[in-house]
Amino acid sequence: MSTTPYFNVAVGRKLSDQWSGSPTFTTEQQALADELLQSIQPGRDHVPDGTFVVYPTRKDVLFVWCQNQQLWAFLLPMKYYHFIPDPFYWLRTLQVKLPTSLDSDLELQFPVDPPSRTVGQLRSLMEKYDNGILLGSCQAVVDGARIVFRRESPPMELFEAIWQFLPYSTQRTVKVTTFTADVNPTFEMQSIPGAIDPHWWGYVGESKLLNYPEGRYEYHLQVTIDMQDQVEMERMFQRKSSSEIVKLILVMLVLGIIVAFLLTSG
């Protein structure tokens, strides 16, 4: 990796309905954090402990996290999230670095050995959770659907398990909240405390995930895990998303037009 091993993360903490933040935690970032909080819990200042919001943008990834009724916000530069698109890994890293003072940004070191996924880890998750939930969820998210679970408390462990089955290109763009008071179009992965209406358009609930139509990604991933093929599994995680393929085609078309123009004009 060509970037420096150390980098800064902007940090904000909300106490008594007021944000305080490190030097680079701007008012715009405070406003975005408040907007996300209001979208998941309209009209209330507090969200349940364990609420974790992941909101990627082109430049940064905003994490909002509630623990012991304290709200924290972290702004991770996208160039680091691009290499390790695992918000649960970053949250654990940030938790042990929580500052007592916000006089400066939080300094992190990019890991020498970034975390990686192994066939053994995924097989263990498939033994712990229902395969239909894990594989159905990852295929639905890859397909562009919004998945929603009904849980009384934020299902952090379940969401992290599902995350391990997603390709990197999807991980980099998916917006997540482990709690929202009602279904929320902002997020591709979400959990609500109330009942799930089976007729919600564009949302796939837990019962439907168990019987979600098997897609190519889900099928090949399961075969790869069953065959314990680490190399092929990593290749599948490196697959390009539909938007990336479209961009590549457009670039090739433009280059083709330029080359054809140069040839005819010469």
Side-chain angles (χ1 to χ4, degrees):
M1 183 176 173
S2 60
T3 52
T4 57
Y6 289 92
F7 62 96
N8 291 335
V9 174
V11 184
R13 180 172 57 196
K14 192 171 188 180
L15 296 172
S16 302
D17 303 330
Q18 294 293 325
W19 284 103
S20 57
S22 62
T24 61
F25 189 67
T26 66
T27 54
E28 289 80 6
Q29 292 155 5
Q30 296 175 23
L32 176 57
D34 278 331
E35 181 182 341
L36 292 171
L37 289 168
Q38 280 298 306
S39 77
I40 64 175
Q41 184 73 297
R44 297 184 62 183
D45 296 325
H46 300 291
V47 293
D49 279 355
T51 297
F52 184 37
V53 179
V54 182
Y55 190 85
T57 66
R58 291 184 61 185
K59 184 179 178 182
D60 306 284
V61 183
L62 177 64
F63 300 142
V64 180
W65 174 57
C66 181
Q67 187 63 33
N68 299 323
Q69 283 304 300
Q70 288 193 58
L71 279 168
W72 292 87
F74 308 96
L75 203 72
L76 181 74
M78 176 54 80
K79 62 182 177 180
Y80 299 102
Y81 191 72
H82 179 89
F83 283 97
I84 307 178
D86 185 342
F88 306 97
Y89 163 82
W90 288 114
L91 180 61
R92 283 191 294 273
T93 302
L94 292 163
Q95 283 174 333
V96 299
K97 296 273 190 177
L98 286 180
T100 55
S101 169
L102 296 177
D103 294 336
S104 61
D105 290 342
L106 185 62
E107 186 180 66
L108 295 183
Q109 183 177 17
F110 194 86
V112 176
D113 295 314
S116 59
R117 292 175 279 183
T118 67
V119 168
Q121 290 170 343
L122 267 60
R123 287 172 66 91
S124 295
L125 290 172
M126 292 174 72
E127 292 172 0
K128 182 177 180 179
Y129 296 96
D130 191 304
N131 290 1
I133 291 296
L134 295 176
L135 296 172
S137 295
C138 77
Q139 183 65 57
V141 174
V142 167
D143 289 344
R146 294 181 176 87
I147 62 174
V148 55
F149 293 85
R150 182 187 182 185
R151 294 291 188 276
E152 293 299 322
S153 57
M156 183 76 83
E157 289 187 3
L158 172 61
F159 275 30
E160 182 172 8
I162 294 170
W163 199 264
Q164 304 312 308
F165 290 79
L166 294 172
Y168 296 116
S169 59
T170 302
Q171 289 179 336
R172 295 183 185 113
T173 60
V174 167
K175 300 178 180 68
V176 180
T177 180
T178 58
F179 167 83
T180 179
D182 203 351
V183 288
N184 193 317
T186 301
F187 304 98
E188 288 86 2
M189 291 177 61
Q190 55 192 276
S191 172
I192 64 174
I196 298 174
D197 188 333
H199 301 294
W200 282 331
W201 186 85
Y203 297 89
V204 184
E206 192 165 354
S207 60
K208 289 186 177 180
L209 288 171
L210 287 167
N211 300 296
Y212 192 81
E214 186 177 68
R216 291 179 59 190
Y217 177 77
E218 172 191 350
Y219 172 77
H220 288 295
L221 181 60
Q222 183 164 19
V223 170
T224 299
I225 294 171
D226 291 342
M227 297 291 291
Q228 301 188 51
D229 190 336
Q230 180 69 37
V231 173
E232 179 62 17
M233 186 182 77
E234 183 61 29
R235 189 192 68 79
M236 291 197 64
F237 287 151
Q238 295 285 356
R239 73 191 289 274
K240 293 185 180 297
S241 66
S242 299
S243 60
E244 289 175 330
I245 293 173
V246 170
K247 289 179 183 178
L248 181 61
I249 292 173
L250 290 175
V251 169
M252 293 176 66
L253 285 173
V254 170
L255 290 175
I257 292 171
I258 293 173
V259 170
F261 174 77
L262 293 175
L263 290 174
T264 54
S265 61

